[in-house]
Amino acid sequence: MQQNIEGIGMTSQRTRDRLIERLRQEGIGNERVLEVMRTTPRHIFIDEAMSSRAYEDSSLPIGHGQTISQPYIVARMTEILLKNGIPDTVLEVGTGSGYQSAVLARLIPRVYTVERISALLQRARQCHQALKLHNIYTKHSDGSWGWPEKAPYPAIMVTAAPEQVPPSLLEQLTIGGRMVIPVGSVNGHQVLKLITRSDTGYDEKVLDAVRFVPLLDGSVR
Ligand code: SAH
């Protein structure tokens, strides 16, 4: 981790504050989520050459054909997951840059996160260490299978889009648990869904139209 956590110029606190104002205007209302995002440096999760764009509200490339999610989407998905209170654990599928897991780790006691590309996971871990976030547990694996050894989870967040909700993830949700997940085809229509498990089954709510990278099979170095 070579980048300065404090940030200067385009990565300074003032620039970050402007992003938070924008998220608020776009409808993010959870003050805890906004405060965590205001004080979590996003620029360290992306390549230094692009750090001047870290506090724009856009997704950015992180290599390996993957992207760091747009801040609005990070805020929105986090807010949805926390709507009924703070769960004690969360499973994230698709660690990517590690930014979303860092935001979750400052709100939720334990964060489990699974990534299929080993190189990305290694870099994400370095960022978590630099920020002294010791409550994030990572696994290099195909996250469609969840992380069964640590299940069940009161909260699951999927940050890559499958065409259908993976059955293993449904099984690993607690009764009363919530999952936010983008579902749809790669270049076609994707929607963000909120799935809630009850003692009789699953309730599904369609939220926003979204665009995520696809959830892919298997794991790679
Ligand atoms: N939450 C991330 C978003 C990264 S983009 C962030 O904050 O940066 C989605 C990530 O999901 C990519 O890194 C991609 O490699 C990963 N991914 C795709 N399919 C996966 C799978 N089956 N299991 C685990 N990770 C997967």
Side-chain angles (χ1 to χ4, degrees):
M1 194 52 38
Q2 293 134 22
Q3 277 146 289
N4 183 329
I5 291 176
E6 296 297 313
I8 48 161
M10 288 310 281
T11 60
S12 68
Q13 192 56 57
R14 271 189 59 189
T15 314
R16 301 179 203 180
D17 292 350
R18 275 201 292 273
L19 170 62
I20 299 313
E21 267 326 297
R22 181 171 168 167
L23 296 179
R24 212 189 294 273
Q25 282 160 18
E26 285 172 339
I28 303 300
N30 186 317
E31 288 300 326
R32 292 190 67 178
V33 172
L34 288 169
E35 182 55 19
V36 162
M37 289 186 64
R38 197 178 73 78
T39 53
T40 303
R42 185 168 181 257
H43 67 279
I44 69 162
F45 292 90
I46 59 184
D47 194 274
E48 206 163 357
M50 249 177 323
S51 58
S52 67
R53 300 191 55 199
Y55 301 98
E56 290 175 10
D57 190 19
S58 54
S59 60
L60 293 167
I62 52 170
H64 307 267
Q66 304 306 320
T67 54
I68 179 171
S69 303
Q70 181 193 356
Y72 173 77
I73 276 292
V74 171
R76 172 97 173 113
M77 288 175 86
T78 309
E79 185 172 75
I80 293 165
L81 219 51
L82 266 49
K83 188 80 184 277
N84 292 350
I86 309 273
D88 58 353
T89 61
V90 59
L91 171 69
E92 179 196 25
V93 175
T95 318
S97 67
Y99 175 68
Q100 172 76 71
S101 22
V103 169
L104 289 170
R106 297 188 55 206
L107 293 158
I108 296 173
R110 273 186 312 284
V111 178
Y112 296 99
T113 182
V114 185
E115 169 59 54
R116 66 183 287 277
I117 302 176
S118 168
L120 286 178
L121 197 53
Q122 281 172 34
R123 190 159 191 297
R125 280 200 200 107
Q126 288 174 7
C127 291
H128 297 154
Q129 273 163 23
L131 297 180
K132 302 187 171 63
L133 295 170
H134 304 301
N135 57 334
I136 304 177
Y137 305 90
T138 62
K139 180 175 166 139
H140 176 220
S141 163
D142 178 346
S144 331
W145 304 105
W147 188 335
E149 295 81 5
K150 309 289 180 189
Y153 306 95
I156 298 180
M157 183 187 290
V158 184
T159 67
E163 295 201 358
Q164 253 125 38
V165 181
S168 306
L169 296 182
L170 290 171
E171 281 161 23
Q172 289 173 33
L173 210 52
T174 58
I175 307 287
R178 294 156 79 80
M179 165 159 48
V180 272
I181 179 167
V183 183
S185 58
V186 184
N187 293 314
H189 184 63
Q190 287 179 10
V191 289
L192 193 64
K193 288 186 176 178
L194 169 65
I195 296 170
T196 314
R197 185 172 191 175
S198 71
D199 45 13
T200 52
Y202 298 88
D203 172 67
E204 201 178 283
K205 247 196 212 108
V206 174
L207 305 169
D208 321 335
V210 287
R211 211 166 71 209
F212 278 84
V213 296
L215 190 82
L216 300 173
D217 286 340
S219 59
V220 293
R221 286 280 118 208

